[in-house]
Amino acid sequence: FWENLNLLTSLLNIDLDRLYLIGISAGAFSALSLACSYPDMFAAITVSCGVAQEKSLRNIEQLPILSIGAVQEMYHNAGFKSLDRHMLGKNPDYHRIVLEDADDNTIFFIKYSQYIYDWLLKHTYRCPDKIALYTEKLLHGKSHWLQISEMDQNSHSACVEAKRLADGSFSIRCSGIHD
């Protein structure tokens, strides 16, 4: 993904403040995973009919998200509702659309809706002032202004939570990090 993005940005005039993700079904899971791992890369995301694992949802509280779900859709409870539980009340830019009489097949065609593109284009990149970087075995060990370069030998995972304070300083909490 990143190699292709770097190639495209080197060849084309791409506004890096307007990178968006659209994911449907397994693509929604991938879009959420990318947004959580790299909150500094995207201006907004749209997800439909994907399973969201609540324990891995972090770093997206400041990211504009449009979540579209169908009550008759197979993963409505596991996906749409779990994202709702995590985002409602935490993210003022979280918007949801519930389609009462739609199913998986109907949602598949939603990606062609002009509404989605118009909604995405209203947003431009904003640098997050809070990042929780979680890594297992140093996979995805860097995100914008935060990087984990070494872990405790006995740790399977590491986490750094950093928040930029109003005075320009940082508040940092670490676990599983090598001293």
Side-chain angles (χ1 to χ4, degrees), residues 63-81:
L63 181 67
I65 299 172
L66 175 61
S67 178
I68 303 169
V71 174
Q72 306 302 318
E73 182 255 323
M74 182 182 347
Y75 295 110
H76 184 71
N77 287 333
F80 186 79
K81 285 187 175 180

Side-chain angles (χ1 to χ4, degrees), residues 6-26:
N6 288 334
L7 176 64
L8 287 172
T9 57
S10 70
L11 297 173
L12 304 170
N13 184 17
I14 294 176
D15 184 353
L16 295 177
D17 287 340
R18 291 188 174 275
L19 292 179
Y20 307 103
L21 291 172
I22 298 175
I24 297 175
S25 191

Side-chain angles (χ1 to χ4, degrees), residues 27-37 45 47 51-52 57 60 65 83:
F29 175 79
S30 297
L32 284 167
S33 295
L34 278 169
C36 290
S37 295
I45 68 171
V47 293
V51 176
L57 292 175
I60 56 174
I65 299 172
L83 187 58

